[in-house]
Amino acid sequence: MRALIEELAQAVGSSHVLTDPSTRAPFETDWTRRWSAPALAVVRPADCDQVAAVLRACSRHGIGVVPQGGNTGLVGGSTPRAGVDQVVLSLTRLTEVGPVDLAASSVSVGAGVTLARLQAIAHEAGLDAGLDLGARDSATIAGLAACDAGGLRAIRYGTARTRVAGLRAVLSDGRIIDRRAGLLKDNAGYDLPALLIGSEGTLAVITDVVWRLVPRLDARALALIPVDGFDAAVALVAGVRPVLPSLELCELMTDAGVALTADHLAMSRPVDPAPAYVLLECAATTDPLEELAEALHAAGVGDRAVVATDAASHARLLRLREAHTEAIAAAGVAHKIDVGVPLRGLAAFADQATAIVRDAAPEAQLILFGHLGDGNLHVNILGLHDEADRVEHEILALAIQAGGTISAEHGIGVQKAEHLPLLRGPDELRTMADIKAALDPPGILNPGVLLAR
Amino acid sequence: MRALIEELAQAVGSSHVLTDPSTRAPFETDWTRRWSAPALAVVRPADCDQVAAVLRACSRHGIGVVPQGGNTGLVGGSTPRAGVDQVVLSLTRLTEVGPVDLAASSVSVGAGVTLARLQAIAHEAGLDAGLDLGARDSATIAGLAACDAGGLRAIRYGTARTRVAGLRAVLSDGRIIDRRAGLLKDNAGYDLPALLIGSEGTLAVITDVVWRLVPRLDARALALIPVDGFDAAVALVAGVRPVLPSLELCELMTDAGVALTADHLAMSRPVDPAPAYVLLECAATTDPLEELAEALHAAGVGDRAVVATDAASHARLLRLREAHTEAIAAAGVAHKIDVGVPLRGLAAFADQATAIVRDAAPEAQLILFGHLGDGNLHVNILGLHDEADRVEHEILALAIQAGGTISAEHGIGVQKAEHLPLLRGPDELRTMADIKAALDPPGILNPGVLLAR
C-alpha cells in the first residue's frame, strides 16, 4: 500500500492524504454513527485533474474509492465498508464558484460547494437554488447530484436531476466527461450526466456542476389544513394542484407527529386534533394569499384551514413540519424508512404499515410524515428492537406492492442494496450491472453501494 | 428472410406486417423527403408484449430495427438506411391512454399517442402537456421522449426529459424495463429512463410514457421588443428572467425573418425595422400583463415594446414567429442547422455564422431565429448549393468552438452522426459506445443513428 499512498501524495500533495487514524476518523463515520469502517487513507484533491490522478492510481492498484461530499447521507453510501481496501475521496476542497449567468439562469460550482452557499450566491443575484433540505449547511452540490436529492420544494422545481444543467465527472480510469455547456436544450448523444445523477458515486466522480437557478420569490402564503385522513389529503392535493401553479410546498403530517413536535418545541398546537394535516405553501412575485384561499375554498376546506397571517405565524407553521426530525430524534432512536408510493394508494399503504408495526411491536410508535405532492412518505418508528429488520423489510415490500419505490430521496447506499432486486427485478438489475461494468470495469467506484456485491 | 417475416406475422398478426412496397412506402421516407431507403417490412405491433416479440425475432435473425413514431424527425433517425437489412417498427398502434391522475398531475399514454391528443386530454382535465411544437398533430409521445424534444415552452417547463415521469421500454433482447410508477421522487438505482430519453431508439424501444402535466394557464400576455442586436437581446433576457416566473416563451427573430414571414402571411409589419426582435409571453392564473410591463420597464425597453392588446393581436404576434418555418419553406429549399450556444457567446456566433455564409455563398440568404431562453438557434440558409456540406460543417464547428452543441432539439440521427465526435471527443464517445454495447450487444437498434458505424 505504500506505493499507492506515495502516488496519491504525488497527485494531491502529502498534506492532503490523511493516513493517521485520528485525522481520518471524521471521514470514516457517517453523522448518524450507523456506518463506520476504516479507510487506507482519506484523499483530498483540489481540482478535477487531481481527482483524475487519484482515480488512475486507485485503478492501477485495484483499490476501492468512496466519494464523499458533506457526509450527510442516511444510507451508508459515503463512508467506507468493512473488509474492503478503499480510500475515501473527499471533494470538499473543490469549492470554485463561477459567475451567476442571469440570462441562462445558472451558475457553475465545484463539487464541494454546500447547498447553503449556493443558496446564498443565488439570493444575492435575485435568484434561488430551487432546492432545499435540512442538511443544507453541510450537503454538497455534487453529493446532491450524485444522489438525486429531493427535499421540500420538489413539487415545483423537481429534484436535483431537474436542477442540474450540466456537469463534469471523472470515470474510474481517469477519463473526463465534460458536459458543462449548461444548455437547457442539448440532445447531442446519450445524456451521460442524466445517467450519473442518482448513481451514488458508483459510475463516476462528479467534480463540477452547472446548477439551474430559479427566480427568487419572496411573497409567500401558507396554510395548514386538518383533514379526515390520507384519502382526504390526497383529494385535497388533486383539487388544488391544477389551479395553483405557485404551489411549492405540499406536506403531510399526522396527529402523532404534530403532537410530538409541538411538545418538543413547547409550542401550543396551532390547530385542532385531526387524523392528518396538509401544509401548503405558495410563492410568487406578488402575495399569493388570495389565490391560495380561493383554491382552498373551491376544494371545500376554506373554513377549516389555518392560514398564516404574518411572518411569525408563517415561520411557526413551517417549523412545526420541519422540526419533526429533531422531535423524533429527541424522543428516541428512530428507525427511518424513506419510501415513495403513488398517491392513489397512499391511504391503503399507511393503514397496512400501521398494522405491520402494531403486529410486530405493539409498544412501538409509528410517525408518518412527508412530501405529499411527491408521494414521498417518511416512515419513522420509535421503540423497535430485534424486530426492526423484519419490519423494515415488510414495509419496503409493501411499498413495492403498492407500485411505489423503496427509496424516494435517501438513496440505496449500503442499507438497501440487498433490497433493490425486490423492486427492480432481474432484468433491470442485469441492465444496471451491465452499465456498471461498462463504465467502471474494475469496479473500484463505491463498491457495495447500490448494487450488492 | 421468409422465416423472419413469418415470425413477425406470428407476433403481431400478418395484416400488421407490411411487405408490399406501396404499403411500406409512407414509413420508408421522412416528411422532408431527404431520407429514404427500403425496409424488409414494416411491423406494427399493438402492445408492449408484441414489441418484445418483434425485437426477439429480429435479434435472433440479426436484423436491424428502426423504431418509428410520427415520422416527423429532421435528421433521418426514424427511416431506414440504405444498404442495411432492417425492419421499421412502427409504434402508432400503441394508443392506450390511462386516466388523468390529478393528484400526481400525470397521465400514462401509449407510445403512439400524438402530442396533440395528449394536449387535448390534459386540457379537458384543466391541465396542459407543458410541451408544444409545430409537429404536434403527428409527433408521438414516445418519439418526443426518445429524442428529448424541446419546442417553444422549454424555458418554463423544460424539454421532454423534464416532463417524463416514467416509462416502459423493451431492450433488443426482449427484456422489459418497467418504470411506470410515475413518482416525482424515486432514486432507487440507476435512472434507466433518463438514459433512454434522448438516445434516439438506439438503446431500447419506448412503449409507454407517464407524462407529467402542468396547470393549464389561460391568462396570457405577449410583447414583441425590437432590439439593437443579439447582445441586446441576451441582456434583455438577463433582465427579465429573474423577475418573471410566469415567463414561458422567449423567442428570437431577426429583421430578415420578420420581413420574409410578414410578406408570406400578407401581414403588415407590427413593428419598426430593427436588427433583432425578442418575443416574450407570460402565462398565469390571472392576467400577467402588468408584471410583464413592469419587467420590460425595469429593463429599459418599456417604451419600444409592442404589447398584444387583445386575443387577435396576441395570435398575430405569435403567428409571426411560428410561421417562420413555413415562410422559409415557401421561399425555397432551406438548409436547416439546429445548434445551441451559451447565451454569452450568441452574438459572436451569429456574426461569425453570417461571415461563413457570406464568404461561401454571397447570394445565399441566412435567416436566424430560435428559442432565445434556451440558447437554441435555428440556422436556416436559403440558396446554398454545392457548398452546403462545407457551410454546415463550419457552422457546427463554430457552435462547438463557442462551447455549444451541434444539436439542441433536432437530435443527431443519421445526419450528424459523423459530426458527433467533434463535439463529444474520444473519451465520451467511447463511453457512449460502451453503453450501446452493454444494452444492445447485437447492435440491431437503429443502426447508424447517433453513433456512426
Side-chain angles (χ1 to χ4, degrees), chain A residues 101 103 147 151 154 161 175 178-179 181 184-188 190-191 194 202-203 215 241-242 285 291 371 374 376 403 405 407-409 411 424 427-428 430-432, chain B residues 103 147 151 154 161 175 178-179 181 184-188 190-191 202-203 215 241-242 285 291 344 371 374 376 403 405 407-409 411 424 427-428 430-432:
Chain A
D101 184 333
C147 301
R161 173 174 300 288
R175 273 183 293 162
D178 193 346
R179 293 270 183 108
L184 183 53
K185 288 181 183 165
D186 181 1
N187 64 359
Y190 301 155
D191 194 338
T202 63
L203 297 178
R241 195 170 180 174
T285 46
E291 86 180 36
H371 314 297
D374 319 332
N376 179 188
T405 178
S407 171
E409 60 178 7
R424 297 303 182 200
D427 285 356
E428 286 201 50
R430 204 189 106 195
T431 307
M432 290 189 214
Chain B
C147 300
R161 174 175 299 289
R175 271 183 294 162
D178 193 346
R179 292 271 183 108
L184 183 54
K185 288 181 183 164
D186 180 2
N187 65 359
Y190 301 156
D191 194 339
T202 63
L203 297 178
R241 195 171 182 173
T285 45
E291 88 180 34
R344 59 188 173 277
H371 314 296
D374 319 332
N376 178 189
T405 178
S407 172
E409 58 178 8
R424 296 304 181 199
D427 285 355
E428 286 201 50
R430 204 189 106 196
T431 307
M432 290 189 213

Coordinates of all heavy atoms in Angstrom, one line a residue, chain A residues 101 103 147 151 154 161 175 178-179 181 184-188 190-191 194 202-203 215 241-242 285 291 371 374 376 403 405 407-409 411 424 427-428 430-432, chain B residues 103 147 151 154 161 175 178-179 181 184-188 190-191 202-203 215 241-242 285 291 344 371 374 376 403 405 407-409 411 424 427-428 430-432:
Chain A
D101 N -24.9 33.4 -14.2 CA -25.3 33.8 -15.5 C -26.8 34.1 -15.5 O -27.6 33.2 -15.4 CB -25.0 32.6 -16.5 CG -25.2 33.0 -17.9 OD1 -26.1 33.8 -18.2 OD2 -24.6 32.3 -18.8
A103 N -28.8 35.5 -17.7 CA -29.5 35.1 -18.9 C -29.9 33.6 -19.0 O -31.0 33.3 -19.3 CB -28.7 35.5 -20.2
C147 N -26.8 11.8 -5.7 CA -27.9 11.1 -5.0 C -29.3 11.5 -5.5 O -30.3 11.1 -4.9 CB -27.8 11.2 -3.5 SG -26.2 10.6 -2.9
G151 N -36.0 16.8 -1.3 CA -36.2 17.8 -0.3 C -37.6 18.4 -0.4 O -38.6 17.7 -0.9
A154 N -39.7 20.0 -4.2 CA -39.6 19.3 -5.5 C -40.9 19.4 -6.2 O -40.9 19.3 -7.5 CB -39.3 17.8 -5.2
R161 N -32.0 16.3 -10.1 CA -32.0 16.0 -11.6 C -32.4 17.1 -12.4 O -31.9 17.4 -13.5 CB -32.8 14.7 -11.8 CG -33.1 14.3 -13.2 CD -33.9 13.0 -13.2 NE -33.1 11.9 -12.5 CZ -32.0 11.3 -13.0 NH1 -31.6 11.7 -14.2 NH2 -31.4 10.4 -12.4
R175 N -10.7 9.0 -17.3 CA -11.3 9.8 -18.4 C -12.3 10.8 -17.9 O -13.0 10.5 -16.9 CB -12.1 8.8 -19.4 CG -11.2 8.2 -20.4 CD -12.1 7.3 -21.3 NE -12.6 6.2 -20.6 CZ -13.6 5.4 -21.0 NH1 -14.3 5.7 -22.2 NH2 -14.0 4.4 -20.4
D178 N -17.0 15.9 -19.9 CA -17.2 17.3 -19.7 C -18.5 17.8 -20.3 O -18.5 18.0 -21.6 CB -16.0 18.1 -20.2 CG -16.0 19.5 -19.7 OD1 -17.0 20.0 -19.2 OD2 -14.9 20.2 -19.8
R179 N -19.5 18.0 -19.6 CA -20.8 18.5 -20.1 C -21.2 19.7 -19.3 O -22.2 19.7 -18.7 CB -21.8 17.4 -20.0 CG -21.6 16.2 -20.8 CD -22.2 16.3 -22.2 NE -22.1 15.1 -23.0 CZ -23.0 14.2 -23.2 NH1 -24.3 14.4 -22.8 NH2 -22.8 13.1 -23.9
A181 N -21.7 22.8 -20.7 CA -22.2 23.9 -21.5 C -23.4 24.6 -20.8 O -23.6 25.7 -21.0 CB -22.6 23.4 -22.9
L184 N -30.0 24.5 -21.8 CA -31.3 23.9 -21.5 C -31.7 22.8 -22.5 O -32.3 21.8 -22.2 CB -32.4 25.0 -21.5 CG -33.8 24.6 -21.0 CD1 -33.8 23.9 -19.7 CD2 -34.7 25.8 -21.0
K185 N -31.3 23.0 -23.7 CA -31.6 22.0 -24.8 C -30.2 21.6 -25.4 O -29.5 22.4 -25.9 CB -32.4 22.7 -25.9 CG -33.8 23.0 -25.6 CD -34.5 23.6 -26.9 CE -35.9 23.9 -26.6 NZ -36.4 24.8 -27.7
D186 N -30.0 20.3 -25.3 CA -28.7 19.7 -25.8 C -28.9 18.2 -25.9 O -28.7 17.5 -25.0 CB -27.5 20.1 -24.9 CG -26.2 19.5 -25.5 OD1 -26.3 18.9 -26.6 OD2 -25.2 19.7 -24.8
N187 N -29.4 17.8 -27.1 CA -29.7 16.4 -27.2 C -28.7 15.7 -28.1 O -29.1 14.8 -28.9 CB -31.2 16.1 -27.6 CG -31.6 16.7 -28.9 OD1 -30.7 17.3 -29.6 ND2 -32.8 16.5 -29.3
A188 N -27.5 16.1 -28.1 CA -26.4 15.5 -28.9 C -25.8 14.3 -28.2 O -24.8 14.5 -27.5 CB -25.4 16.6 -29.3
Y190 N -26.0 10.4 -26.0 CA -26.5 10.0 -24.7 C -26.3 11.0 -23.6 O -25.2 11.6 -23.6 CB -25.9 8.7 -24.3 CG -26.1 7.5 -25.3 CD1 -25.2 6.5 -25.4 CD2 -27.1 7.6 -26.2 CE1 -25.4 5.5 -26.3 CE2 -27.3 6.5 -27.1 CZ -26.4 5.5 -27.2 OH -26.6 4.5 -28.1
D191 N -27.3 11.2 -22.8 CA -27.2 12.2 -21.7 C -26.5 11.6 -20.5 O -27.1 11.1 -19.6 CB -28.6 12.7 -21.3 CG -28.5 13.9 -20.5 OD1 -27.4 14.2 -19.9 OD2 -29.5 14.7 -20.4
A194 N -27.3 12.6 -17.1 CA -28.5 12.1 -16.5 C -28.3 10.7 -16.0 O -29.0 10.3 -15.0 CB -29.6 12.1 -17.6
T202 N -21.2 5.4 -8.0 CA -20.7 4.1 -8.4 C -20.3 4.1 -9.9 O -19.8 3.1 -10.4 CB -21.9 3.1 -8.3 OG1 -23.0 3.4 -9.1 CG2 -22.4 3.0 -6.8
L203 N -20.6 5.2 -10.7 CA -20.2 5.2 -12.1 C -19.1 6.2 -12.4 O -18.4 6.0 -13.4 CB -21.5 5.4 -12.9 CG -22.6 4.4 -12.9 CD1 -23.8 4.9 -13.7 CD2 -22.1 3.0 -13.3
P215 N -36.2 32.0 -10.2 CA -36.5 33.4 -9.7 C -36.6 33.3 -8.1 O -37.2 32.3 -7.6 CB -37.8 33.8 -10.3 CG -37.8 33.1 -11.7 CD -37.2 31.7 -11.3
R241 N -53.9 21.4 -6.8 CA -52.7 21.4 -7.6 C -52.9 21.9 -9.0 O -52.1 22.7 -9.5 CB -52.2 19.9 -7.7 CG -50.8 19.8 -8.2 CD -50.2 18.4 -8.1 NE -48.9 18.5 -8.6 CZ -48.0 17.5 -8.5 NH1 -48.3 16.4 -7.9 NH2 -46.8 17.6 -9.0
P242 N -54.0 21.6 -9.7 CA -54.2 22.1 -11.1 C -54.4 23.6 -11.2 O -54.2 24.2 -12.2 CB -55.4 21.3 -11.6 CG -55.6 20.1 -10.7 CD -55.0 20.5 -9.4
T285 N -44.4 36.4 -7.2 CA -43.8 37.8 -7.2 C -44.7 38.7 -6.4 O -44.2 39.7 -5.8 CB -43.6 38.3 -8.6 OG1 -44.8 38.1 -9.3 CG2 -42.5 37.7 -9.3
E291 N -55.0 33.7 -4.0 CA -55.2 32.6 -4.9 C -55.2 31.3 -4.1 O -55.9 30.3 -4.4 CB -54.3 32.6 -6.1 CG -52.9 32.0 -5.9 CD -52.1 32.1 -7.2 OE1 -52.2 33.1 -7.9 OE2 -51.3 31.1 -7.5
H371 N -43.5 14.3 2.0 CA -43.7 15.3 0.9 C -44.9 14.8 0.1 O -44.7 14.0 -0.8 CB -42.4 15.4 0.1 CG -41.2 15.6 1.0 ND1 -41.0 16.7 1.8 CD2 -40.1 14.8 1.2 CE1 -39.9 16.5 2.5 NE2 -39.3 15.4 2.1
D374 N -45.1 14.7 -3.7 CA -44.2 13.8 -4.4 C -44.5 12.3 -4.1 O -43.8 11.4 -4.6 CB -42.8 14.0 -3.9 CG -42.4 15.5 -3.7 OD1 -43.0 16.3 -4.4 OD2 -41.6 15.8 -2.9
N376 N -43.9 11.0 -1.4 CA -42.7 10.6 -0.6 C -43.0 10.6 0.9 O -43.2 11.6 1.5 CB -41.6 11.6 -0.9 CG -40.3 11.3 -0.2 OD1 -39.4 12.1 -0.2 ND2 -40.2 10.2 0.5
G403 N -46.9 -0.4 -5.9 CA -46.4 0.3 -7.1 C -45.4 1.4 -6.8 O -45.2 2.3 -7.7
T405 N -41.7 2.9 -4.5 CA -40.3 2.7 -4.5 C -39.8 2.6 -3.1 O -40.3 3.1 -2.2 CB -39.6 3.9 -5.3 OG1 -38.2 3.6 -5.2 CG2 -39.9 5.2 -4.6
S407 N -36.9 3.7 -2.2 CA -36.2 4.9 -1.9 C -36.7 6.1 -2.7 O -36.6 6.1 -4.0 CB -34.7 4.8 -2.2 OG -34.0 6.0 -2.1
A408 N -37.3 7.1 -2.1 CA -37.7 8.3 -2.8 C -36.6 9.3 -2.9 O -36.4 9.8 -4.0 CB -38.9 8.9 -2.0
E409 N -35.9 9.5 -1.8 CA -34.9 10.6 -1.8 C -33.6 10.3 -1.0 O -32.6 11.0 -1.1 CB -35.4 11.9 -1.4 CG -36.0 12.0 0.0 CD -36.5 13.3 0.4 OE1 -36.6 14.2 -0.5 OE2 -36.9 13.5 1.6
G411 N -31.9 7.4 -1.2 CA -30.9 6.6 -2.0 C -30.9 5.2 -1.5 O -31.5 4.8 -0.5
R424 N -36.6 -3.8 -8.5 CA -36.3 -3.7 -9.9 C -36.3 -5.0 -10.7 O -36.4 -5.0 -11.9 CB -34.9 -3.0 -10.1 CG -34.8 -1.6 -9.5 CD -35.8 -0.7 -10.2 NE -35.7 0.7 -9.6 CZ -36.7 1.6 -9.7 NH1 -37.9 1.3 -10.2 NH2 -36.5 2.8 -9.2
D427 N -34.3 -8.4 -14.7 CA -34.0 -7.8 -16.0 C -33.3 -6.4 -15.8 O -32.3 -6.1 -16.4 CB -35.2 -7.7 -16.8 CG -35.7 -9.0 -17.4 OD1 -35.0 -10.0 -17.2 OD2 -36.7 -9.1 -18.1
E428 N -34.0 -5.6 -15.0 CA -33.4 -4.3 -14.8 C -32.1 -4.3 -14.0 O -31.2 -3.6 -14.3 CB -34.4 -3.4 -14.0 CG -35.6 -3.0 -14.8 CD -36.3 -1.8 -14.2 OE1 -35.6 -0.8 -13.9 OE2 -37.5 -1.8 -14.0
R430 N -29.9 -6.6 -14.1 CA -28.8 -7.0 -15.0 C -28.4 -5.9 -15.9 O -27.2 -5.6 -16.1 CB -29.3 -8.2 -15.9 CG -28.1 -9.0 -16.4 CD -28.5 -10.0 -17.5 NE -28.1 -9.6 -18.8 CZ -28.6 -10.1 -19.9 NH1 -29.5 -11.1 -19.9 NH2 -28.1 -9.7 -21.1
T431 N -29.4 -5.1 -16.3 CA -29.1 -3.9 -17.1 C -28.2 -2.9 -16.3 O -27.2 -2.3 -16.8 CB -30.4 -3.2 -17.6 OG1 -31.2 -4.2 -18.2 CG2 -30.1 -2.0 -18.5
M432 N -28.5 -2.7 -15.1 CA -27.7 -1.8 -14.2 C -26.3 -2.4 -14.1 O -25.3 -1.6 -14.1 CB -28.4 -1.7 -12.8 CG -29.7 -0.9 -12.8 SD -30.2 -0.5 -11.1 CE -32.0 -0.6 -11.4
Chain B
A103 N -53.9 14.3 -8.7 CA -53.1 14.5 -7.5 C -51.6 14.4 -7.9 O -50.8 15.2 -7.5 CB -53.4 13.4 -6.4
C147 N -36.3 11.4 -28.4 CA -35.4 12.4 -29.0 C -35.2 13.6 -28.0 O -34.6 14.6 -28.4 CB -36.0 12.9 -30.3 SG -36.1 11.5 -31.5
G151 N -38.9 22.4 -28.2 CA -40.0 23.2 -28.6 C -40.1 24.5 -27.9 O -39.0 25.1 -27.5
A154 N -39.9 25.4 -23.4 CA -38.9 24.7 -22.6 C -38.3 25.6 -21.5 O -37.9 25.2 -20.5 CB -37.7 24.2 -23.5
R161 N -37.5 15.5 -21.4 CA -36.8 14.9 -20.3 C -37.5 15.3 -19.0 O -37.6 14.4 -18.1 CB -35.4 15.3 -20.3 CG -34.5 14.9 -19.1 CD -33.1 15.3 -19.4 NE -32.5 14.7 -20.5 CZ -32.2 13.4 -20.6 NH1 -32.4 12.6 -19.5 NH2 -31.8 12.8 -21.7
R175 N -36.0 -8.0 -23.1 CA -36.2 -7.7 -21.7 C -37.0 -6.4 -21.6 O -36.8 -5.4 -22.4 CB -34.9 -7.5 -21.0 CG -34.3 -8.8 -20.5 CD -33.0 -8.6 -19.8 NE -31.9 -8.1 -20.7 CZ -30.8 -7.5 -20.3 NH1 -30.6 -7.2 -19.0 NH2 -29.9 -7.1 -21.2
D178 N -39.5 -1.6 -16.8 CA -40.8 -1.1 -16.4 C -40.6 -0.1 -15.3 O -40.5 -0.4 -14.1 CB -41.8 -2.2 -16.0 CG -43.2 -1.7 -15.9 OD1 -43.4 -0.5 -15.9 OD2 -44.1 -2.5 -15.9
R179 N -40.7 1.2 -15.6 CA -40.6 2.3 -14.6 C -41.8 3.2 -14.8 O -41.6 4.4 -15.1 CB -39.3 3.1 -14.9 CG -38.0 2.3 -14.6 CD -37.6 2.4 -13.2 NE -36.3 1.7 -13.0 CZ -35.1 2.3 -12.8 NH1 -35.1 3.6 -12.8 NH2 -34.1 1.6 -12.6
A181 N -44.0 3.9 -12.3 CA -44.6 4.3 -11.1 C -45.0 5.8 -11.2 O -45.9 6.3 -10.5 CB -43.7 4.1 -9.9
L184 N -42.5 11.5 -8.6 CA -41.6 12.6 -8.8 C -40.2 12.3 -8.1 O -39.2 12.8 -8.6 CB -42.3 13.8 -8.1 CG -41.6 15.2 -8.2 CD1 -41.3 15.5 -9.7 CD2 -42.4 16.3 -7.6
K185 N -40.3 11.6 -7.0 CA -39.0 11.2 -6.4 C -38.9 9.7 -6.3 O -39.7 9.0 -5.8 CB -39.0 11.7 -4.9 CG -38.9 13.2 -4.7 CD -38.9 13.5 -3.2 CE -38.8 15.0 -2.9 NZ -39.2 15.2 -1.5
D186 N -37.8 9.2 -7.0 CA -37.6 7.8 -7.0 C -36.1 7.6 -7.4 O -35.8 7.5 -8.5 CB -38.5 7.1 -8.0 CG -38.3 5.6 -8.0 OD1 -37.5 5.1 -7.3 OD2 -39.0 4.9 -8.8
N187 N -35.3 7.5 -6.4 CA -33.8 7.4 -6.7 C -33.3 6.0 -6.3 O -32.2 5.9 -5.9 CB -33.0 8.6 -6.1 CG -33.0 8.5 -4.6 OD1 -33.7 7.7 -4.0 ND2 -32.3 9.5 -3.9
A188 N -34.1 5.0 -6.6 CA -33.7 3.6 -6.3 C -33.0 3.0 -7.5 O -33.7 2.4 -8.3 CB -34.9 2.8 -5.9
Y190 N -30.0 3.1 -10.8 CA -29.8 3.9 -12.0 C -31.1 4.4 -12.7 O -32.0 3.6 -12.8 CB -28.9 3.2 -13.0 CG -27.5 2.8 -12.4 CD1 -26.8 1.7 -13.0 CD2 -27.0 3.4 -11.3 CE1 -25.6 1.3 -12.5 CE2 -25.8 3.0 -10.8 CZ -25.1 1.9 -11.4 OH -23.9 1.6 -10.9
D191 N -31.1 5.6 -13.1 CA -32.3 6.1 -13.7 C -32.3 5.7 -15.2 O -31.9 6.5 -16.1 CB -32.4 7.6 -13.6 CG -33.8 8.1 -13.9 OD1 -34.5 7.4 -14.6 OD2 -34.1 9.2 -13.5
T202 N -31.8 4.0 -30.0 CA -30.6 3.1 -30.2 C -30.3 2.2 -29.0 O -29.5 1.3 -29.1 CB -29.3 4.0 -30.4 OG1 -29.1 4.7 -29.3 CG2 -29.5 4.9 -31.6
L203 N -31.0 2.4 -27.9 CA -30.8 1.6 -26.7 C -32.0 0.7 -26.3 O -31.8 -0.3 -25.7 CB -30.4 2.5 -25.5 CG -29.1 3.3 -25.6 CD1 -28.9 4.2 -24.4 CD2 -27.9 2.4 -25.9
P215 N -50.3 22.9 -14.7 CA -51.6 23.6 -14.7 C -51.9 24.3 -16.0 O -50.9 24.8 -16.6 CB -51.4 24.6 -13.5 CG -50.4 24.0 -12.6 CD -49.5 23.3 -13.5
R241 N -35.7 37.7 -16.9 CA -35.9 36.3 -16.5 C -36.0 36.1 -15.0 O -36.8 35.4 -14.5 CB -34.7 35.5 -17.1 CG -35.0 34.0 -17.0 CD -34.0 33.2 -17.8 NE -34.3 31.8 -17.7 CZ -33.7 30.9 -18.3 NH1 -32.7 31.1 -19.1 NH2 -34.1 29.6 -18.1
P242 N -35.1 36.8 -14.2 CA -35.1 36.6 -12.8 C -36.4 37.1 -12.1 O -36.7 36.7 -11.0 CB -33.9 37.4 -12.3 CG -33.0 37.5 -13.5 CD -33.9 37.6 -14.6
T285 N -52.4 32.4 -13.7 CA -53.8 32.2 -13.4 C -54.6 33.5 -13.6 O -55.8 33.5 -13.9 CB -54.0 31.6 -12.0 OG1 -53.2 32.4 -11.1 CG2 -53.6 30.2 -11.9
E291 N -47.3 42.5 -14.7 CA -45.9 42.1 -14.3 C -45.0 42.1 -15.5 O -43.8 42.4 -15.4 CB -46.0 40.9 -13.5 CG -45.9 39.5 -14.2 CD -45.9 38.4 -13.2 OE1 -46.6 38.4 -12.2 OE2 -45.3 37.3 -13.5
R344 N -24.0 33.9 -23.6 CA -23.0 34.9 -23.6 C -22.2 35.0 -24.9 O -21.6 36.0 -25.2 CB -22.0 34.7 -22.4 CG -21.3 33.4 -22.4 CD -20.5 33.1 -21.1 NE -20.0 31.7 -21.1 CZ -20.7 30.7 -20.7 NH1 -22.0 30.8 -20.3 NH2 -20.2 29.5 -20.8
H371 N -35.1 29.8 -30.0 CA -35.6 29.8 -28.7 C -34.5 30.5 -27.8 O -33.6 29.8 -27.3 CB -35.9 28.4 -28.2 CG -36.7 27.6 -29.3 ND1 -38.0 28.0 -29.6 CD2 -36.4 26.5 -30.0 CE1 -38.4 27.1 -30.6 NE2 -37.5 26.3 -30.8
D374 N -33.4 29.3 -24.4 CA -32.7 28.0 -24.3 C -31.3 28.1 -25.0 O -30.6 27.1 -25.0 CB -33.5 27.0 -25.0 CG -35.0 27.0 -24.7 OD1 -35.3 27.5 -23.7 OD2 -35.8 26.6 -25.6
N376 N -31.0 28.2 -28.1 CA -31.3 27.3 -29.2 C -31.5 28.1 -30.4 O -32.6 28.7 -30.6 CB -32.4 26.4 -28.9 CG -32.8 25.4 -30.0 OD1 -33.9 24.8 -29.9 ND2 -32.0 25.3 -31.0
G403 N -18.6 26.7 -27.3 CA -19.0 26.0 -26.1 C -20.4 25.5 -26.2 O -21.0 25.2 -25.2
T405 N -23.6 23.3 -28.7 CA -23.9 21.9 -29.1 C -24.3 21.9 -30.6 O -24.8 22.9 -31.1 CB -25.0 21.3 -28.2 OG1 -25.3 19.9 -28.7 CG2 -26.3 22.1 -28.3
S407 N -26.5 19.9 -31.7 CA -28.0 19.6 -31.7 C -28.6 20.0 -30.5 O -28.3 19.5 -29.4 CB -28.2 18.1 -31.9 OG -29.6 17.8 -31.8
A408 N -29.5 21.0 -30.6 CA -30.2 21.5 -29.4 C -31.5 20.6 -29.2 O -31.7 20.1 -28.1 CB -30.6 22.9 -29.5
E409 N -32.3 20.5 -30.3 CA -33.5 19.7 -30.2 C -33.9 18.8 -31.3 O -34.8 18.1 -31.2 CB -34.7 20.7 -29.9 CG -34.9 21.7 -31.0 CD -36.1 22.7 -30.7 OE1 -36.6 22.6 -29.7 OE2 -36.4 23.5 -31.6
G411 N -31.8 16.5 -32.7 CA -31.2 15.2 -32.5 C -30.0 15.0 -33.5 O -29.7 15.9 -34.3
R424 N -18.1 15.6 -28.8 CA -18.0 14.9 -27.6 C -16.6 14.3 -27.3 O -16.3 14.0 -26.2 CB -19.0 13.7 -27.6 CG -20.5 14.2 -27.6 CD -20.8 15.1 -26.4 NE -22.2 15.5 -26.4 CZ -22.7 16.6 -25.8 NH1 -21.9 17.4 -25.1 NH2 -24.0 16.9 -25.9
D427 N -13.1 10.3 -25.5 CA -13.4 9.7 -24.2 C -14.9 9.5 -24.0 O -15.4 8.4 -23.6 CB -12.9 10.6 -23.1 CG -11.4 10.5 -22.9 OD1 -10.8 9.7 -23.6 OD2 -10.8 11.2 -22.1
E428 N -15.7 10.6 -24.3 CA -17.1 10.5 -24.2 C -17.7 9.5 -25.2 O -18.6 8.8 -24.9 CB -17.8 11.8 -24.3 CG -17.6 12.7 -23.2 CD -18.6 13.8 -23.1 OE1 -19.8 13.5 -23.2 OE2 -18.2 15.0 -23.0
R430 N -16.3 6.9 -26.5 CA -16.1 5.5 -26.1 C -17.1 5.1 -25.0 O -17.6 4.0 -25.0 CB -14.7 5.4 -25.6 CG -14.2 3.9 -25.8 CD -12.9 3.7 -25.1 NE -13.0 3.0 -23.9 CZ -12.1 2.9 -22.9 NH1 -11.0 3.5 -23.0 NH2 -12.3 2.2 -21.8
T431 N -17.4 6.1 -24.1 CA -18.3 5.8 -23.1 C -19.7 5.5 -23.7 O -20.4 4.5 -23.3 CB -18.4 6.9 -22.1 OG1 -17.1 7.2 -21.6 CG2 -19.3 6.6 -20.9
M432 N -20.1 6.3 -24.7 CA -21.4 6.0 -25.3 C -21.4 4.7 -26.0 O -22.4 3.9 -25.9 CB -21.7 7.1 -26.3 CG -22.0 8.5 -25.7 SD -22.5 9.7 -27.0 CE -21.9 11.2 -26.3

